[in-house]
Amino acid sequence: MITPRLSEEVSVAIAEGRAVVALESTIFSTLGLPAPANAEALERCTTAVRTAGAVPAVTAIINGEARVGLDDHETDLIFGEARKVAERDLAVAIAQGWAFGATTVSASLALAHAVGISVFATGGIGGVHRGAEITGDISADLDALAHHPVVTVCAGAKAFLDLARTLEYLETVGVPVLGWRHDDFPAFYTRSSGLSVPHRVETAAEVAAVLGARSRPDTGVLVAVPIPEAAALDATHLDAVLEGALQECAAAGITGAAITPFVLGRIAVATDGRSLPANLALAEHNAAIAGEIALAIQGTDNYGSPIFP
Ligand code: PSU
Ligand code: MN
């Protein structure tokens, strides 16, 4: 069993029933974004959560301890040497006392669940990789979405994944996918993947109501928020870059968990760095909406069901 340590602020917020939004640390490490964009992302996401009226809770492994909520003096650790920690790696990172483990979506959902936080914000989730029928590479994020009762707010998944299969997988494992004021599943840097979301929502209250009405108490909800219009990138150019980067991966024998950081680096170069402001804008926007949803869930039993006096 994992019993994460809470920061003082997060501990008080949870005890008082205040709105809390969990954040992963991989996106803020150099595995997710190059310096100094990673530090800017952390600052903007935590500020967006606070502006919405909620408390941000960054998850990480620090000195072998699972943590939810970091103190200001600890956030620098995120920017140093990071090892990626998916949900299954939590046990290893704790048992071996890793100095710093950067949590992915799956690890963050596990930690949020363990402490009763029901909203989580990120940039993009992992998904079914292209060619998964050969490699079997399906992100642990999808299984975690199905097994932790947390609302995940994301800008969809990266276009270098197989987005159609990703949506199929989420259907199979019973995760409701909600388009935030949008009919299409977004593709991270672009507002549409060309695939429809099964359902559309207009308000945070609707998301809270969906969370409260699930038949499986341990299943999460995915809210897909398109990148703000002004920050979106050109889809055609991006497709060509992705193709090239994936071929490079295959040629260089880059597989598994190393694919995402590699492809992200290639996209940054090929878009002359324009992928970075796009990434920051969508992560900040997601954090703000997650804050709104956390507020809407406040006043319920924390899992969306109304509390009647
Ligand atoms: N998508 C991004 N940036 C990221 C990630 C995904 O745009 O940094 C990270 C997240 O932490 C996500 C993880 O949970 O990659 C998925 O990795 P994998 O495909 O190895 O499961
Ligand atoms: Mn993988």
Side-chain angles (χ1 to χ4, degrees):
M1 265 301 290
I2 293 181
T3 45
R5 179 143 75 92
L6 302 172
S7 67
E8 179 65 21
E9 184 191 23
V10 170
S11 166
V12 169
I14 291 175
E16 292 180 350
R18 291 188 56 200
V20 181
V21 172
L23 299 166
E24 59 158 309
S25 43
T26 294
I27 176 179
F28 306 126
S29 77
T30 52
L31 298 171
L33 285 164
N38 57 346
E40 186 185 337
L42 176 62
E43 170 61 30
R44 284 171 61 178
C45 287
T46 52
T47 301
V49 171
R50 288 189 196 284
T51 304
V55 172
V58 177
T59 65
I61 296 287
I62 295 178
N63 294 327
E65 204 175 24
R67 302 283 300 275
V68 176
L70 303 183
D71 294 325
D72 282 344
H73 71 273
E74 295 175 314
T75 51
D76 275 357
L77 283 167
I78 297 178
F79 312 134
E81 185 77 17
R83 295 170 81 177
K84 190 168 163 180
V85 176
E87 181 169 2
R88 67 167 184 176
D89 307 312
L90 284 170
V92 182
I94 292 167
Q96 296 185 342
W98 291 12
F100 175 68
T103 45
T104 65
V105 170
S106 66
S108 299
L109 290 175
L111 297 183
H113 183 188
V115 302
I117 295 174
S118 48
V119 183
F120 164 72
T122 185
I125 58 164
V128 178
H129 283 255
R130 293 188 195 175
E133 63 274 30
I134 306 293
T135 63
D137 193 348
I138 298 173
S139 174
D141 292 355
L142 300 185
D143 180 72
L145 282 161
H147 291 106
H148 299 294
V150 177
V151 174
T152 292
V153 181
C154 70
K158 287 273 167 53
F160 62 80
L161 298 169
D162 187 330
L163 297 182
R165 283 204 170 99
T166 299
L167 284 172
E168 288 295 346
Y169 190 103
L170 290 167
E171 179 186 345
T172 302
V173 295
V175 175
V177 178
L178 310 177
W180 180 261
R181 300 174 184 163
H182 201 56
D183 295 315
D184 286 352
F185 192 59
F188 199 81
Y189 297 119
T190 59
R191 289 175 60 84
S192 177
S193 59
L195 301 161
S196 304
V197 281
H199 306 285
R200 172 183 173 131
V201 292
E202 306 294 333
T203 65
E206 273 176 89
V207 178
V210 170
L211 186 71
R214 289 159 307 135
S215 63
R216 297 179 185 177
D218 270 344
T219 300
V221 173
L222 187 66
V223 178
V225 182
I227 182 172
E229 195 98 52
L233 299 183
D234 176 66
T236 319
H237 176 225
L238 213 54
D239 277 346
V241 174
L242 291 177
E243 267 317 316
L246 290 172
Q247 280 169 17
E248 257 190 277
C249 273
I254 293 167
T255 58
I259 291 178
T260 302
F262 179 85
V263 175
L264 296 185
R266 284 295 187 267
I267 292 173
V269 172
T271 59
D272 290 328
R274 270 176 300 126
S275 64
L276 292 178
N279 206 332
L280 299 194
L282 67 85
E284 178 181 44
H285 187 227
N286 294 345
I289 289 163
E292 261 187 67
I293 294 169
L295 258 75
I297 290 170
Q298 216 184 0
T300 72
D301 66 350
N302 195 35
Y303 290 107
S305 300
I307 299 171
F308 298 108

